[in-house]
Amino acid sequence: MAEGSLNFPRSLWFDCMGQLHRRGRERHESGCFVLGTIDGPRRRAMRCVYYDELDPRAYESGVCVLHGGAFSKLWEICRADGLSVVADIHTHGGEAFQSTADRRNPMIARPGHIAVIVPNFARSPVWRHHLGLYRYDGDHRWTDLSGWRARAFVKVPWSFR
């Protein structure tokens, strides 16, 4: 499978990182689903839906956990906007590694799904080569695309053409 790219409009990327930092208050994880379009290996981000918008209890345990109808709300938003989930993003307090819980519980258990982990509760500056980036391969297996590969994968250009 080609590694591809996840393309963010610059304003969306910075807003997303700011929202994740604000929502976690440097005390607990926070997260979002990135919605947009998928064209082969290329993903284009168009909006973020934050976990606590889907489930007000999402951060109660200190880590990101979605309960009840959160996913039905997410699918309703996707249908209404004509968008797909192109990735999920969540924060960690320290380094951006994939925990055992992250590996065992993909937010979207579909091969090809992209999970991004942002270090230091998304405190600015967020360097893309410090991101944890993982592609779900199915059967609880993941391909690690972190570090400099993440910087090449997550694109934040000055503008889209």
Side-chain angles (χ1 to χ4, degrees):
M1 180 179 291
E3 287 184 21
S5 62
L6 175 56
N7 300 274
F8 271 86
R10 194 165 191 78
S11 61
L12 180 62
W13 174 256
F14 285 108
D15 183 58
C16 177
M17 294 302 108
Q19 286 289 334
L20 291 172
H21 183 257
R22 183 184 66 75
R23 290 165 191 266
R25 298 180 297 232
E26 293 205 26
R27 291 199 308 263
H28 58 75
E29 294 182 3
S30 61
C32 68
F33 290 103
V34 181
L35 307 186
T37 59
I38 301 173
D39 183 16
R42 184 171 187 239
R43 299 155 185 266
R44 183 170 181 176
M46 300 176 85
R47 82 176 271 206
C48 294
V49 177
Y50 297 90
Y51 294 166
D52 57 327
E53 293 172 346
L54 298 170
D55 178 0
R57 300 179 314 141
Y59 309 140
E60 279 181 357
S61 69
V63 298
C64 297
V65 178
L66 294 176
H67 305 91
F71 284 94
S72 60
K73 290 178 186 176
L74 175 64
W75 304 138
E76 285 176 30
I77 293 167
C78 288
R79 274 191 302 278
D81 292 350
L83 300 173
S84 299
V85 174
V86 299
D88 72 78
I89 301 175
H90 77 277
T91 64
H92 279 187
E95 293 183 20
F97 66 93
Q98 191 178 41
S99 69
T100 300
D102 294 335
R103 274 192 307 279
R104 291 184 180 161
N105 301 290
M107 281 296 188
I108 306 291
R110 178 176 290 155
H113 178 70
I114 299 296
V116 180
I117 302 172
V118 182
N120 304 316
F121 295 127
R123 185 179 329 112
S124 185
V126 173
W127 301 103
R128 288 175 291 143
H129 63 281
H130 290 174
L131 298 174
L133 185 85
Y134 303 89
R135 183 184 65 229
Y136 188 65
D137 297 324
D139 197 28
H140 300 284
R141 291 182 324 239
W142 297 83
T143 297
D144 186 347
L145 302 169
S146 301
W148 290 102
R149 290 170 76 185
R151 187 178 191 284
F153 190 94
V154 178
K155 299 184 182 309
V156 186
W158 287 99
S159 66
F160 277 145
R161 292 179 194 184

